[in-house]
Amino acid sequence: MAHQWRGVIREYAERLPVTEATKVITLGEGGTPLVHAQQLSALTGSDVYLKVEGMNPTGSFKDRGMTMAMTAAVAAGAKAVVCASTGNTSASAAAYATAAGLKCVVLVPEGKISMGKLSQAIAHGATLLQVNGNFDDCLDIARKLGESYPVFLVNSVNPARIEGQKTGAFEVVDWLGDAPDFHVLPVGNAGNITAYWKGYKEYCAPFESATAGTLPAVSTRTPVMWGFQAAGAAPFVAGHPITEPDTIATAIRIGNPASWDTAIAARDESGGVIEAVTDEEILSAHRWLSAREGVFVEPGSAAGVAGLIKKHAAGEVPAGKTIVITVTGHGLKDPQWALRTEDGSEVQPVKVSNDVVTVAMALGLEEK
Ligand code: F0G
């Protein structure tokens, strides 16, 4: 019988801080497709794969961490959870809190989150407050709320989130048979680059499981990590926090990443880089993915692809390698960008009358 995916906690229980007795909060996250990107592979001469995280239950990679964070919240006896978010974390927290029977409070930067994400948080019944500030201000308040009030913090500063998100690396290795040569991804608050690097390292060495003894190494190597930030919100490139981050890729509009040191460690231990791509490069990669690969992502999710294309143009992408790019969130989260042409004008669908001859003419078809 075909195997039904059971969510990341049950699939990887031996490598996560859970036991048989843990009450697992899951919506069946993980097990996302690793799509061979034919045009990016042709461009670079390497085998390029896309880890399509938009296929998670709420449409982003955040669900991998949220199943762990919400499971931890329930174990801790919490009644309410809180997070700051550029949108995806709030959508995920709201859905998983509903599944757990907990109240959920989300703090988002006013006017800077996409309609899709806003509607998810509202639909799942979260209490949503728009803060007159940016994501970094929201996270500051969320942390203080978690410290001084009876609400459980589910941002990625909570280590349970990183534990859940490291399963992305496990899945890549399980499906490729070994780690790729390069792993490429967008960097915002830097939880995901931290989590992937942790996952790759744990899979490449014997692992002391809390429940299953010593597990042998699964992979023979770890990848080089390449992270990409939006140019207007690139604190790792600047080498210091940015007070006024700005980019159309609202998901990664972050100036003071919480996981600073662990992102630097992932970059340096892996021999990798964290570089910047412009909004134009992000939108061009967004278009490339939808029009050439058949994969629809939100703009922030295209930053890794934009980075690969940029490095290829600079002659910095070796051929004959295996490259995995995490595309982090679904295109339907923020669909407006697909309705703009390259010169910025709005796409207007052609209107026709209700008649086959007119439709055929509009299509330039001649009768056979
Ligand atoms: N891509 C998307 C679609 C995101 O939503 C985020 C972060 C990132 C990439 C960056 O990941 O923060 O782990 O470096 N979104 C957070 C949120 C901040 O609130 O949804 P990161």
Side-chain angles (χ1 to χ4, degrees):
M1 234 193 355
H3 171 78
Q4 167 99 33
W5 184 263
R6 297 164 298 171
V8 298
I9 295 184
R10 293 201 177 94
E11 294 293 337
Y12 293 110
E14 293 174 341
R15 291 174 176 273
L16 293 170
V18 292
T19 68
E20 286 274 295
T22 304
K23 181 174 190 289
V24 175
I25 307 300
T26 178
L27 294 170
E29 61 296 314
T32 56
L34 192 62
V35 174
H36 189 239
Q38 306 207 32
Q39 301 302 322
L40 285 171
S41 298
L43 176 76
T44 57
S46 272
D47 258 324
V48 181
Y49 294 88
L50 303 169
K51 184 70 169 145
V52 184
E53 291 291 274
M55 294 303 287
N56 278 295
T58 77
S60 87
F61 72 98
K62 302 290 179 179
D63 296 343
R64 293 180 184 276
M66 209 51 77
T67 181
M68 278 298 300
M70 216 57 72
T71 294
V74 167
K79 297 282 178 280
V81 297
V82 64
C83 69
S85 183
T86 56
N88 280 323
T89 300
S90 59
S92 185
Y96 281 77
T98 299
L102 302 180
K103 285 197 191 325
C104 180
V105 176
V106 304
L107 307 178
V108 299
E110 188 180 340
K112 295 292 180 188
I113 90 164
S114 76
M115 186 67 84
K117 300 171 191 178
L118 188 70
S119 32
Q120 285 180 289
I122 303 284
H124 294 302
T127 302
L128 182 138
L129 300 177
Q130 301 205 28
V131 176
N132 177 15
N134 60 31
F135 168 83
D136 306 297
D137 303 317
C138 294
L139 183 56
D140 197 37
I141 298 172
R143 289 172 105 141
K144 288 176 181 154
L145 277 179
E147 278 162 23
S148 307
Y149 296 84
V151 283
F152 187 94
L153 184 66
V154 294
N155 278 108
S156 59
V157 291
N158 180 333
R161 281 277 310 279
I162 304 297
E163 287 296 309
Q165 284 175 213
K166 77 184 181 185
T167 61
F170 296 167
E171 289 178 19
V172 169
V173 173
D174 286 343
W175 284 324
L176 291 178
D178 206 341
D181 296 295
F182 293 88
H183 192 107
V184 186
L185 77 177
V187 174
N189 208 27
N192 216 25
I193 191 169
T194 299
Y196 267 97
W197 184 239
K198 186 169 201 283
Y200 279 125
K201 280 199 300 188
E202 287 182 5
Y203 242 25
C204 192
F207 181 76
E208 296 306 326
S209 164
T211 52
T214 305
L215 305 174
V218 181
S219 61
T220 66
R221 58 186 184 189
T222 54
V224 173
M225 303 295 293
W226 281 358
F228 291 95
Q229 304 208 277
F236 288 113
V237 180
H240 55 77
I242 306 279
T243 46
E244 303 277 334
D246 199 22
T247 166
I248 57 97
T250 53
I252 52 173
R253 186 174 171 274
I254 295 173
N256 189 12
S259 298
W260 185 280
D261 294 345
T262 45
I264 297 288
R267 181 192 71 186
D268 295 348
E269 288 170 27
S270 75
V273 296
I274 300 179
E275 293 180 355
V277 285
T278 65
D279 282 0
E280 290 71 32
E281 288 164 338
I282 287 173
L283 287 174
S284 166
H286 175 258
R287 223 172 280 121
W288 176 298
L289 284 172
S290 46
R292 301 194 203 198
E293 310 288 358
V295 174
F296 191 29
V297 304
E298 59 169 295
S301 298
V305 175
L308 185 77
I309 292 172
K310 185 174 196 165
K311 280 186 104 51
H312 169 73
E316 291 168 12
V317 178
K321 301 291 182 188
T322 303
I323 302 175
V324 172
I325 312 176
T326 304
V327 287
T328 43
H330 204 287
L332 293 174
K333 294 268 190 179
D334 196 2
Q336 57 159 325
W337 300 101
L339 300 176
R340 290 193 186 197
T341 59
E342 227 143 326
D343 65 21
S345 58
E346 284 286 308
V347 175
Q348 291 297 342
V350 177
K351 291 184 183 161
V352 290
S353 59
N354 179 4
D355 162 63
V356 70
V357 175
T358 319
V359 171
M361 267 174 63
L363 295 171
L365 297 174
E366 297 201 0
E367 215 168 334
K368 38 181 190 181

